[in-house]
Amino acid sequence: MKYAFSFLAVIALILIAGLGSQIPGMQYFFGVAIPYLAIMLFVGGFVYRVMQWAKSPVPFSIPTTCGQGASLDFIKQDKLDCPSKTSEVVARMFLEIFLFRSLFRNTKSEIHDGPKISYESSKWLWLFALLFHYSFLLIVIRHMRLFIDPIPFWLSAIEGVDSMLQIGAPTLYLSSVALLGGIALLFGRRLVNPHVRYISLNNDYFPLVLIFAIGLTGILMRYFLRTNIDIINIKNLAMGLVTFSPVITVKIGAIFYIHLFLVSTLLAYFPFSKLMHMGGVFMSPTRNMANDSRAKRHINPWNDPEIKPHSYAGYEDEFREFMVDAGIPVEKELSAAKDEA
Amino acid sequence: MYNKGTIIPGLIIFVLFVTFPIWFNGLKAGTLPKPELPPGGEKKCVMPVEYMRANHMQLLNEWRDNVLRDDNRTVVTVEGKKYRKGLQMACMQCHSNKEKFCDNCHAYTAVKPYCWDCHLTPKEAALKEETH
Amino acid sequence: MAVPKLEQLSKSVVQGPSLATGAVPTKDWMDIPAIFKPGNYAYPAKQEKVAYLNSQKDLHFPNAREWSPEDDDWKLPEDWKDIILKGLKERLDKFRSLKIFMDCCVRCGACADKCHFFLGTGDPKNMPVLRAELLRSVYRNDFTLGGKLLGAMAGAREMTVGVLKEWFMYSYQCTECRRCSVFCPYGIDTAEVTMMLRELLHLVGVGINWILEPASNSNRTGNHMGLQPHTFKDNVDFLADDVENLTGVKINHSFNRKGAEVLFITPSADVFAEPGLYTAMGYLLLFEHIGLDYTWSTYASEGGNFGLFTNNELMKKLNGKMYAEAKRLGVKYIIGGECGHMWRVVHQYMDTMNGPADFMEVPKSSITGTTFNNAASTKMVHISEFTADLIKNGKLKLDKSRNAHVKATFHDSCNPARAMGLIDEPRYILDHVLDNWVEMPENTIREQTFCCGSGTGLNTDEIMELRMRSGLPRANAVKHVIDKHDVNTLSCVCAIDRATLTSLMNYWNPGCNVCGVSELVGNALVMDGENRQELDEGLRTLV
Amino acid sequence: MDKQRRKFLKIAGATALAGIGAPALVRLTSSTALASEHGAAVEGHAAEAAAHGAHVEAVPQGVRLGMVIDMRKITEQPELLDHAIAACNNAHNIPQFDNRKSEIKWIWKAPFENVFPGESSYHLAKKVEKTDFAVMCNHCDDPPCVRACPTQATFKVKENGIVAMDFHRCIGCRFCMAACPYGARSFNWEDPRPYIKKYNKDFPSRMRGVVEKCNFCGERLALGQEPACVEACKGTGAMVFGDLNDAKSEIRQVLDKEFTIQRNPSLGTKPSVFYIV
Amino acid sequence: MKLDEAFRNYREKIVDRWVEYTLSTYKSSSFFIKEKDKFANPVGGNTREALDALFGLLAKNADPQEFVAPLEQIMRIRAIQEFAASVAVGPIHAVKHITREILSKDKERCHLVQDLYDFEFAVDLAVLAAFDLYMQCRERLYQVRIQEIKTGNYILTDSKCPTNLLKTNIQESLKTVENH
């Protein structure tokens, strides 16, 4: 029961923060020390991991071509799926990163009487993934309101759009609903779909459960467990953190520390887990290279020029007699070769 | 390290994005907003201060439903003074300066309540009373 | 009451419990060992072949020995584990792709049902994601912080002989066709993973004969078949004679001729094995038709490159002959015949490994005047590009009715489709040499094409069942167009396809021929001064 | 009973035209029968009608607020209606637009043939023809707008039968406007604030994109006051407001005494506003 | 003719169970069962198609000759998968048990179970035919192997020393190719 372990782990984290933050003096630990540590691990770890990747070269040009490449004038190139210029690569990567194009590619065929085949797309995974990632991004951006002052126009605009439906007070964020919905579906898929369940590891369930718990604690804090949740105090702490002058002067509800601790865990966990796909998606050589390897020479830094083919001279030496017999031109005539020998 | 030309700028953009609050604020934490207390000198609100700080929006919502939907328009009494439930009719009676009382904190936390789309601040209300 | 009886029905009384478990495996995949039985593995490489390769300069094929996958003891070198882990470290440092693919997979499952091996066998370890996990679990254990700290919790596991055996089993149940990569949101390419697995296995002397023997042949004689120069020449001469018999046209071809404009290289299977040799006859007719100044080479007589299926060094060494020969003969550019993995090497690796080819000129067709800018650096043009250009410029006299016996469909070979983007050129040619031809279902062609099931050196007969299983998705799609459109010919641009699809069709869809696109071109060409016999089966007609 | 039959035929024709099937016809006619029964009761058969009505629907319970507009009084003093409208505008911060499209109407004036399109206006009494009728939301007992509202922004107050609106919830879909057969609802096409002449600081304004209508002065009733329009006509009896279910109320006295008509009763919405013509 | 009607009514249910049972002999059975796209799931798709057709034939007591087409569709697949012959053929039997079970659960029709003799006999014939087809497929597979050797592919691996081969083996095998 791999997913059960993830639940236990997250419950343990919640207990640690919930109880720990109530011990006098520990607020500073949970409110300041842990977040600092987490963000340092996140940024440092992320940069470190990307640098580690960058240390290895891309020896060969190996784009996966998903359409017709650039060739003759009258053959139409599929510029997005088989890019040959940097601009086309950028377009391909953009669609890949922002619209998850590869996941969108799934098609299913159905045979009808006739027999006729029709195609429909099977795009649930794509939809859930898109929903989840975009709401996550929106939520991260939205939280910036707690970290910056004065708040720029665009941030208020995002906030406004996200709470467009004006449901309840404080207003319900659409992104919160989308995040929990998306994550529940991604999680449910891992449980219900037998082959996805079979390939899933602990480290697939854990981030899902963790992010779900983060969303849930956030919602609880915003709408339900409001005791000692005064956003002014919370922003004061957040602003203190980003201006390196953290202060905790007032009592803040335990739910806030739980939320913060879970976020810190996620940040610290991020660079050392599969969540690094956030950086990796930019660096995948099968996607971020132009299919121009015949038009432009790609350089492999560790290419060993000393590796030479079995030489023609050696080949001719071995088979000269037969070659001459068969009338195949040779570099050295039989007699000359013999003379040399 | 290979592909420095794209990876390093990429990482810089990433770090700038993550540390956005730090350089945006320029290490200035800004001043903590302090809502102005009622100019009329009232000391007591319908609920304790701590509760109001955290829950005023929920209280207003509750009132709204009481008044509009449940036909429960009971009057609130604070220190002997009676108020009809309602933003304009109760809250703004004491906290008559919306800019200094409400907006102060709301602007600080990017909360844009849609109350004022319809409800009139005392200032607005006064504006068109005079012209008449 | 009825259920237990039904369960008994699915158990073999004679052989004991079969692989058919009757359910999704309840055990975790890490706990299911790979079991080798006759028919599910390709024979290990012969000792002398490994020793020969190891004796070559720059090559490293240690631990040549007699061994069998069925034995418990694979006679691995004592420090095999160190060798593997060191090899893995070295490759992580050499290939960014490997690092990224090890780190980024989120196990979303998008690839799971895209692999023809999985679709044909139902073995979960044939899901691309799990195939990669076989390596990833070891990588996590020894190269990541999470794996070191949390072990199995983080999906890590110790490198053991059992894991090694699993690697052998599943890296040779992958044809590096890249179909999974198309659907992966990060473009994770199982082909890259499989290549690394195979490289690592070679470090401890674990390889299969069907790859290493052709590779050593190729190194020595220039081609997989081990054909020596005169034999190779004889074969081509035979084909030229056949062409003359059939069409009355004398073919002028030459070998190792210095000063020719073009060097022509094609997989040796085309000049030797059926049905590839009809394709070769097609080449001969085509070049004769346009009067191309070209030469064959006996030294670089192999387009294919089994080095791709072993390791980088061997791939480079084998490939080097193409440029070496082009330079020696002083040709202006190279034309390459129809082949899948050959073109993967030529397109994505050759210039990088053995270039720059500055002793040649940017390919420019002397017949049409077209400059092939897409091959400006590599200086090697695909025969389909070359032919399509000829057709476009009206340089070929074609009579579609000569292909009246053919009702074709087109199989996109994995490498041209997914590693090169050569998809529409062959179709353009087919449009001009056939009256009509049909496409197979949309999710089985172009970049979504299903592999023949026997690529990457797996077309050996000891694993025939396995090949039939993995080829089922392809054969199934062919069957659909056979039933619906009476298709009788499966055309392709790949020599391995021509060999393996023939067997595949023989089993699944008897009566369906396999041919190269150039064979169909050869069929349709109206030659000057021809004295053509009644060829109701085109170049295949027996006279 | 000639009159009743005529009505029945008319409805049958209307429903046939509308293509509504038989069951709907039965339902509609039975409820109209009730409405005409009401009319009959006004004609002086009160006891009989009450007994009759009890068969058709449950005995009315609780408070149901309604209004009688005595057009005879308004014809005599047309300025009464202007006062009533002005009072309403002031009380509810209703904007005054110049163009008709943007117009916001809670209580407004309309000619007889528009108010009672079902009645014949052939050879109408000259005084009726020339008088503007006071029109407002009918606060129907069975309001179609409430059924149409997807967010329950429009709802029926259980305690007093007012068809009320919660502007906070209105999403501006305008389904209610389509549903209301009396055109009693207005949509804020523009921001109303610049067009409000004078603010009532105890009442909110509305924002762009919200539908609004007469609320029977729910906020004034809570303070024990009469609706603004009724107050504006105080002492004239032009507008009488009260509980339709209270037999002793002033409005019932008027209804029992006078012949009244309702707007388009055949639709079965059971309006709460009655007219003495 | 009541049995006919029962077959018609229960066809979908019986075939579903039968397909499910047949596919459950695979490791990733759930994928094979769930995925309905015939091209994305050839094993499941063909099994479903063939069993449905076969059931139609069995139920109407068709000429056993007609069993061949659908049976071949299945046996061709199962013959090359890692099944013992008995397991490869076994699921064809299963329809007997499934039909009995489903009919006996229906109170109104449980008496029909006694009339199943003809149907079950037809199933037995189908199983026997399946054995034949299984063997034919295996035979075919060996033919394919031999064919491959004949076409010359084996030279890739079974050449010994190229120089030795030169004069003897290759020339001989060349001739076989030419003759072929």
Side-chain angles (χ1 to χ4, degrees):
Chain A
M1 293 294 107
K2 289 166 181 165
Y3 56 91
F5 169 80
S6 303
F7 278 113
L8 288 177
V10 171
I11 289 170
L13 290 172
I14 290 173
L15 287 177
I16 291 171
L19 299 175
S21 65
Q22 297 311 298
I23 302 168
M26 286 300 274
Q27 288 80 9
Y28 204 79
F29 177 73
F30 282 98
V32 178
I34 291 277
Y36 270 136
L37 188 67
I39 195 75
M40 271 156 52
L41 276 172
F42 175 67
V43 177
F46 194 102
V47 172
Y48 172 79
R49 288 301 296 274
V50 173
M51 302 279 264
Q52 280 304 107
W53 288 335
K55 266 192 186 166
S56 301
V58 178
F60 301 108
S61 171
I62 53 165
T64 309
T65 59
C66 300
Q68 172 62 40
S71 71
L72 299 158
D73 303 336
F74 57 94
I75 304 279
K76 192 172 175 287
Q77 183 200 354
D78 188 341
K79 294 190 172 166
L80 284 177
D81 287 316
C82 195
S84 61
K85 296 196 206 80
T86 312
S87 57
E88 293 162 6
V89 172
V90 170
R92 184 187 200 190
M93 290 297 286
F94 180 87
L95 292 175
E96 200 61 72
I97 292 166
F98 289 93
L99 294 173
F100 304 174
R101 192 149 181 269
S102 289
L103 281 182
F104 191 74
R105 218 185 292 270
N106 268 339
T107 50
K108 271 189 194 318
S109 61
E110 245 172 64
I111 301 186
H112 300 289
D113 293 336
K116 274 188 188 139
I117 308 179
S118 70
Y119 294 91
E120 59 164 327
S121 48
S122 86
K123 300 194 178 358
W124 287 113
L125 175 60
W126 172 78
L127 193 69
F128 300 160
L130 211 61
L131 201 64
F132 167 70
H133 282 88
Y134 270 100
S135 46
F136 203 131
L137 176 68
L138 207 59
I139 287 171
V140 169
I141 294 176
R142 227 178 50 204
H143 274 75
M144 284 300 133
R145 77 184 172 116
L146 299 175
F147 295 94
I148 58 179
D149 187 57
I151 291 160
F153 162 74
W154 53 265
L155 193 54
S156 315
I158 289 175
E159 180 95 6
V161 170
D162 202 5
S163 51
M164 195 173 59
L165 291 191
Q166 302 186 335
I167 297 170
T171 45
L172 180 74
Y173 288 126
L174 300 179
S175 53
S176 309
V177 179
L179 179 85
L180 290 193
I183 217 164
L185 291 164
L186 288 178
F187 190 84
R189 187 176 160 274
R190 284 205 186 270
L191 292 188
V192 173
N193 191 330
H195 63 268
V196 183
R197 185 184 174 134
Y198 195 63
I199 58 179
S200 296
L201 300 170
N202 269 325
N203 29 359
D204 297 317
Y205 292 113
F206 178 68
L208 287 175
V209 178
L210 183 62
I211 294 169
F212 190 83
I214 289 172
L216 205 63
T217 50
I219 287 173
L220 284 175
M221 171 163 51
R222 187 170 163 88
Y223 303 103
F224 303 104
L225 307 175
R226 293 196 59 93
T227 319
N228 288 323
I229 300 299
D230 177 3
I231 193 167
I232 298 294
N233 296 335
I234 290 173
K235 178 154 183 180
N236 192 25
L237 170 58
M239 287 301 290
L241 287 172
V242 295
T243 52
F244 303 109
S245 50
V247 276
I248 300 182
T249 48
V250 285
K251 193 170 158 52
I252 303 178
I255 186 76
F256 167 75
Y257 287 104
I258 294 174
H259 185 67
L260 187 62
F261 188 63
L262 293 179
V263 172
S264 302
T265 310
L266 181 69
L267 286 174
Y269 175 77
F270 197 102
F272 309 101
S273 68
K274 69 165 192 176
L275 301 181
M276 274 308 285
H277 67 262
M278 175 181 162
V281 68
F282 289 90
M283 294 181 69
S284 177
T286 54
R287 288 283 188 276
N288 71 7
M289 303 185 83
N291 180 43
D292 60 355
S293 40
R294 267 196 295 156
K296 268 191 226 139
R297 183 164 185 246
H298 179 85
I299 304 296
N300 171 9
W302 49 261
N303 187 37
D304 180 358
E306 290 312 309
I307 299 182
K308 292 272 191 327
H310 178 62
S311 72
Y312 176 79
Y315 170 86
E316 195 184 294
D317 284 347
E318 189 173 353
F319 300 112
R320 183 172 295 112
E321 210 170 319
F322 303 116
M323 290 172 81
V324 172
D325 277 354
I328 301 170
V330 287
E331 296 272 329
K332 288 181 192 164
E333 289 307 324
L334 261 183
S335 53
K338 264 182 196 153
D339 288 349
E340 239 172 59
Chain B
M1 185 167 163
Y2 300 92
N3 303 93
K4 282 186 198 154
T6 42
I7 291 174
I8 290 181
L11 278 177
I12 289 173
I13 289 170
F14 169 76
V15 172
L16 284 180
F17 184 79
V18 173
T19 56
F20 167 73
I22 297 175
W23 52 264
F24 183 88
N25 292 324
L27 294 187
K28 284 196 293 288
T31 41
L32 202 60
K34 243 193 136 81
E36 189 202 62
L37 293 177
E42 291 88 347
K43 284 275 172 295
K44 217 168 153 221
C45 197
V46 293
M47 286 289 208
V49 176
E50 280 312 309
Y51 180 87
M52 287 309 281
R53 284 188 79 122
N55 300 70
H56 61 276
M57 70 300 277
Q58 289 180 334
L59 183 80
L60 282 170
N61 248 16
E62 224 171 87
W63 278 13
R64 180 183 78 191
D65 286 346
N66 285 164
V67 168
L68 281 170
R69 305 193 81 89
D70 310 337
D71 204 34
N72 171 12
R73 303 193 192 227
T74 43
V75 170
V76 197
T77 313
V78 181
E79 290 192 317
K81 224 177 147 190
K82 289 186 174 170
Y83 299 95
R84 285 177 277 158
K85 280 183 186 173
L87 184 60
Q88 279 165 261
M89 295 177 298
C91 310
M92 301 316 283
Q93 296 299 321
C94 304
H95 304 286
S96 53
N97 192 334
K98 174 216 171 208
E99 285 71 23
K100 287 191 177 156
F101 181 72
C102 308
D103 293 354
N104 228 350
C105 295
H106 287 164
Y108 182 63
T109 54
V111 175
K112 271 219 182 115
Y114 52 99
C115 312
W116 311 107
D117 290 347
C118 300
H119 289 276
L120 299 158
T121 65
K123 214 189 210 169
E124 278 169 331
L127 196 73
K128 287 212 179 167
E129 256 174 354
E130 284 159 16
T131 55
H132 195 67
Chain C
M1 174 191 85
V3 175
K5 265 192 197 155
L6 272 180
E7 266 181 12
Q8 286 167 7
L9 207 51
S10 60
K11 296 252 158 47
S12 166
V13 180
V14 185
Q15 300 194 341
S18 74
L19 263 183
T21 52
V24 189
T26 44
K27 276 190 193 167
D28 192 71
W29 60 265
M30 287 193 194
D31 302 329
I32 300 176
I35 294 169
F36 292 90
K37 300 187 303 187
N40 76 355
Y41 63 89
Y43 296 150
K46 289 174 195 155
Q47 190 173 359
E48 72 266 22
K49 296 297 162 193
V50 181
Y52 167 78
L53 284 172
N54 199 38
S55 73
Q56 297 298 298
K57 189 176 162 288
D58 316 310
L59 295 185
H60 182 58
F61 284 87
N63 203 26
R65 70 197 186 284
E66 293 290 343
W67 65 285
S68 162
E70 282 183 65
D71 294 343
D72 278 344
D73 180 13
W74 281 14
K75 302 180 193 163
L76 297 170
E78 209 140 277
D79 57 343
W80 69 270
K81 198 170 147 184
D82 273 352
I83 297 175
I84 294 275
L85 292 180
K86 247 190 236 148
L88 180 53
K89 167 97 180 59
E90 187 193 328
R91 277 157 188 80
L92 286 167
D93 291 340
K94 278 164 92 173
F95 295 91
R96 185 184 297 165
S97 53
L98 183 61
K99 272 188 183 166
I100 302 265
F101 296 165
M102 289 295 105
D103 286 330
C104 284
C105 177
V106 297
R107 284 162 295 280
C108 70
C111 59
D113 52 357
K114 306 299 184 291
C115 173
H116 53 286
F117 270 100
F118 174 70
L119 295 179
T121 61
D123 182 346
K125 280 187 202 167
N126 271 327
M127 293 191 249
V129 46
L130 269 197
R131 202 189 314 280
E133 282 298 313
L134 300 179
L135 176 58
R136 220 174 262 136
S137 54
V138 172
Y139 163 78
R140 277 197 210 101
N141 194 56
D142 292 275
F143 297 94
T144 68
L145 185 66
K148 280 177 188 157
L149 292 177
L150 297 170
M153 247 5 152
R157 63 173 173 175
E158 187 86 357
M159 182 72 208
T160 62
V161 176
V163 172
L164 187 90
K165 290 184 174 180
E166 227 174 15
W167 284 7
F168 179 66
M169 173 99 111
Y170 292 100
S171 63
Y172 288 96
Q173 287 191 23
C174 167
T175 48
E176 303 178 359
C177 77
R178 308 184 108 199
R179 191 168 192 260
C180 47
S181 165
V182 170
F183 297 94
C184 175
Y186 317 110
I188 295 176
D189 183 4
T190 307
E192 292 289 310
V193 177
T194 301
M195 284 177 194
M196 293 305 136
L197 282 175
R198 290 187 180 184
E199 285 202 9
L200 292 174
L201 290 171
H202 283 302
L203 294 179
V204 291
V206 173
I208 69 170
N209 199 54
W210 218 84
I211 294 176
L212 289 187
E213 182 156 345
S216 58
N217 286 346
S218 188
N219 185 55
R220 182 170 188 188
T221 64
N223 55 65
H224 293 154
M225 305 287 180
L227 304 182
Q228 299 184 1
H230 50 297
T231 323
F232 184 80
K233 176 174 182 291
D234 284 350
N235 275 319
V236 179
D237 290 344
F238 273 137
L239 296 176
D241 290 348
D242 273 2
V243 170
E244 194 172 348
N245 283 340
L246 294 167
T247 65
V249 174
K250 169 106 180 66
I251 300 292
N252 297 295
H253 58 290
S254 57
F255 296 89
N256 298 10
R257 177 163 63 86
K258 287 194 181 180
E261 184 192 356
V262 175
L263 169 64
F264 178 65
I265 302 177
T266 195
S268 60
D270 278 355
V271 296
F272 193 80
E274 230 180 330
L277 35 87
Y278 304 115
T279 306
M281 285 155 78
Y283 302 145
L284 289 171
L285 271 167
L286 175 75
F287 295 148
E288 192 61 35
H289 187 82
I290 56 173
L292 185 72
D293 175 18
Y294 77 109
T295 181
W296 297 75
S297 163
T298 59
Y299 169 64
S301 51
E302 179 59 68
N305 188 333
F306 275 32
L308 177 68
F309 313 144
T310 50
N311 64 28
N312 268 287
E313 291 72 28
L314 184 55
M315 166 167 67
K316 179 175 177 180
K317 195 171 174 72
L318 294 181
N319 175 262
K321 283 184 181 174
M322 290 193 184
Y323 278 161
E325 185 70 342
K327 194 172 186 178
R328 187 179 74 86
L329 299 178
V331 299
K332 287 185 181 158
Y333 63 100
I334 312 174
I335 293 180
E338 297 176 6
C339 183
H341 77 281
M342 153 182 170
W343 272 100
R344 168 122 210 235
V345 176
V346 168
H347 185 80
Q348 296 198 324
Y349 297 97
M350 177 161 82
D351 200 12
T352 302
M353 293 185 304
N354 291 313
D358 40 18
F359 46 85
M360 287 188 277
E361 293 169 12
V362 175
K364 184 176 176 188
S365 170
S366 52
I367 291 93
T368 65
T370 304
T371 307
F372 292 90
N373 286 318
N374 60 331
S377 178
T378 305
K379 276 104 177 170
M380 187 150 172
V381 178
H382 193 283
I383 184 80
S384 289
E385 293 169 346
F386 188 75
T387 311
D389 174 57
L390 289 171
I391 293 174
K392 176 75 183 173
N393 287 289
K395 300 291 178 190
L396 300 185
K397 260 186 261 169
L398 295 164
D399 178 1
K400 288 184 181 180
S401 69
R402 294 182 174 185
N403 271 320
H405 60 291
V406 172
K407 175 85 195 207
T409 184
F410 180 70
H411 161 75
D412 283 281
S413 308
C414 316
N415 285 306
R418 286 187 283 258
M420 196 181 164
L422 183 108
I423 292 174
D424 283 328
E425 287 91 343
R427 287 179 165 77
Y428 181 84
I429 298 171
L430 290 181
D431 285 342
H432 287 86
V433 301
L434 292 175
D435 269 330
N436 60 8
W437 64 281
V438 294
E439 291 276 21
M440 284 183 276
E442 194 183 286
N443 52 351
T444 70
I445 54 167
R446 300 181 74 90
E447 72 278 3
Q448 300 197 32
T449 185
F450 273 118
C451 176
C452 63
S454 317
T456 60
L458 299 185
N459 45 333
T460 173
D461 58 274
E462 64 263 23
I463 50 169
M464 190 59 84
E465 282 100 330
L466 189 63
R467 288 169 50 194
M468 294 302 117
R469 268 175 244 156
S470 62
L472 171 57
R474 172 79 292 159
N476 181 57
V478 177
K479 183 168 191 302
H480 176 77
V481 284
I482 291 176
D483 292 345
K484 198 177 159 193
H485 300 288
D486 290 325
V487 162
N488 62 10
T489 302
L490 179 57
S491 61
C492 59
V493 284
C494 171
I496 288 186
D497 277 337
R498 281 190 285 274
T500 62
L501 287 177
T502 303
S503 301
L504 199 69
M505 289 304 112
N506 265 342
Y507 182 77
W508 291 108
N509 304 313
C512 183
N513 283 326
V514 179
C515 74
V517 167
S518 290
E519 177 187 339
L520 299 175
V521 174
N523 280 348
L525 276 176
V526 179
M527 305 292 289
D528 285 342
E530 67 180 10
N531 177 17
R532 196 175 147 101
Q533 310 214 20
E534 201 56 44
L535 303 181
D536 46 13
E537 283 182 59
L539 296 173
R540 298 190 183 201
T541 316
L542 291 173
V543 283
Chain D
M1 286 294 118
D2 193 15
K3 193 173 181 180
Q4 232 174 310
R5 174 189 244 143
R6 209 187 67 209
K7 266 190 180 169
F8 176 83
L9 289 174
K10 209 156 68 179
I11 294 153
T15 47
L17 272 180
I20 301 169
L25 185 72
V26 174
R27 194 165 49 79
L28 281 172
T29 47
S30 68
S31 61
T32 341
L34 182 72
S36 357
E37 221 93 61
H38 217 292
V42 177
E43 277 172 290
H45 310 284
E48 194 195 323
H52 216 105
H55 285 294
V56 188
E57 71 174 16
V59 182
Q61 282 182 336
V63 181
R64 182 180 167 201
L65 295 172
M67 190 184 279
V68 173
I69 300 172
D70 189 342
M71 284 309 297
R72 295 171 305 193
K73 308 262 167 61
I74 292 179
T75 315
E76 281 165 27
Q77 292 171 270
E79 71 279 6
L80 275 180
L81 185 50
D82 292 326
H83 290 158
I85 293 175
C88 179
N89 286 351
N90 283 343
H92 300 120
N93 295 330
I94 296 170
Q96 301 301 310
F97 290 101
D98 294 333
N99 62 333
R100 281 205 61 199
K101 187 179 149 278
S102 307
E103 198 179 6
I104 303 291
K105 308 174 296 190
W106 285 39
I107 170 170
W108 74 100
K109 296 176 185 173
F112 178 84
E113 65 265 31
N114 290 4
V115 180
F116 301 101
E119 304 283 340
S120 166
S121 51
Y122 185 59
H123 281 306
L124 201 59
K126 278 281 173 288
K127 59 172 186 178
V128 174
E129 201 175 14
K130 282 193 180 146
T131 311
D132 282 325
F133 275 63
V135 200
M136 65 182 85
C137 170
N138 275 310
H139 295 276
C140 309
D141 209 26
D142 190 4
C145 54
V146 168
R147 260 179 281 145
C149 180
T151 62
Q152 292 181 340
T154 288
F155 58 100
K156 208 166 160 60
V157 180
K158 284 194 299 289
E159 289 79 4
N160 55 22
I162 292 180
V163 176
M165 273 198 75
D166 181 347
F167 300 123
H168 303 94
R169 281 208 196 180
C170 177
I171 55 171
C173 70
R174 302 174 68 221
F175 288 176
C176 55
M177 294 179 72
C180 176
Y182 306 109
R185 292 172 162 271
S186 311
F187 184 69
N188 283 282
W189 292 100
E190 293 175 59
D191 178 16
R193 284 223 177 143
Y195 302 92
I196 299 172
K197 294 234 169 66
K198 186 186 157 196
Y199 282 133
N200 170 10
K201 65 179 169 48
D202 286 352
F203 202 78
S205 69
R206 269 72 59 195
M207 63 185 289
R208 199 165 67 103
V210 167
V211 173
E212 58 181 274
K213 70 171 194 70
C214 159
N215 66 345
F216 259 2
C217 288
E219 81 285 359
R220 290 174 59 91
L221 299 177
L223 297 175
Q225 297 168 334
E226 290 196 293
C229 52
V230 176
E231 197 183 73
C233 309
K234 209 168 180 72
T236 64
M239 288 177 158
V240 181
F241 184 80
D243 179 7
L244 295 176
N245 289 342
D246 178 3
K248 286 183 221 111
S249 65
E250 186 191 354
I251 189 167
R252 276 293 290 273
Q253 309 299 325
V254 176
L255 284 171
D256 288 352
K257 205 168 78 212
E258 302 280 357
F259 169 74
T260 56
I261 55 174
Q262 292 160 291
R263 294 187 63 191
N264 223 341
S266 58
L267 294 175
T269 58
K270 294 185 231 165
S272 302
V273 176
F274 299 80
Y275 293 86
I276 303 171
V277 185
Chain E
M1 285 291 104
K2 280 190 129 178
L3 194 58
D4 265 12
E5 187 208 331
F7 280 148
R8 262 202 308 282
N9 287 343
Y10 281 115
R11 176 167 182 160
E12 207 171 313
K13 199 171 169 192
I14 294 174
V15 171
D16 270 357
R17 283 272 305 276
W18 195 12
V19 170
E20 203 166 306
Y21 173 76
T22 309
L23 294 178
S24 73
T25 52
Y26 294 93
K27 278 194 209 162
S28 291
S29 54
S30 56
F31 170 75
F32 284 165
I33 294 167
K34 252 180 42 195
E35 173 61 69
K36 296 284 190 284
D37 182 341
K38 188 184 163 188
F39 300 106
N41 175 19
V43 175
N46 280 303
T47 304
R48 189 172 295 275
E49 210 175 276
L51 290 183
D52 186 54
L54 184 58
F55 183 80
L57 296 171
L58 291 170
K60 71 173 191 202
N61 240 324
D63 181 355
Q65 281 296 317
E66 291 179 46
F67 298 166
V68 172
L71 275 174
E72 205 175 1
Q73 199 176 352
I74 296 181
M75 294 324 296
R76 210 187 276 274
I77 294 174
R78 292 181 77 84
I80 47 109
Q81 287 165 330
E82 291 181 280
F83 293 121
S86 59
V87 182
V89 177
I92 307 293
H93 264 304
V95 72
K96 286 210 282 198
H97 304 262
I98 291 166
T99 309
R100 261 177 189 273
E101 199 187 318
I102 287 178
L103 285 189
S104 60
K105 271 189 193 147
D106 183 336
K107 290 220 170 61
E108 280 173 38
R109 297 200 176 77
C110 56
H111 64 278
L112 292 175
V113 167
Q114 296 148 22
D115 306 337
L116 280 175
Y117 180 83
D118 283 347
F119 171 75
E120 292 184 343
F121 182 71
V123 175
D124 288 341
L125 288 180
V127 171
L128 292 176
F131 263 114
D132 287 343
L133 290 167
Y134 177 86
M135 283 317 294
Q136 276 175 27
C137 289
R138 299 298 303 176
E139 203 57 44
R140 172 127 219 122
L141 195 67
Y142 290 109
Q143 289 295 334
V144 171
R145 241 179 216 151
I146 291 167
Q147 193 70 25
E148 221 169 59
I149 291 169
K150 272 191 184 167
T151 51
N153 281 0
Y154 85 107
I155 298 271
L156 263 76
T157 52
D158 287 348
S159 60
K160 292 171 191 84
C161 168
T163 323
N164 278 344
L165 268 175
L166 174 69
K167 282 156 196 157
T168 53
N169 299 19
I170 287 199
Q171 294 299 352
E172 274 164 30
S173 45
L174 255 181
K175 271 173 207 140
T176 48
V177 172
E178 294 302 312
N179 297 338
H180 179 65

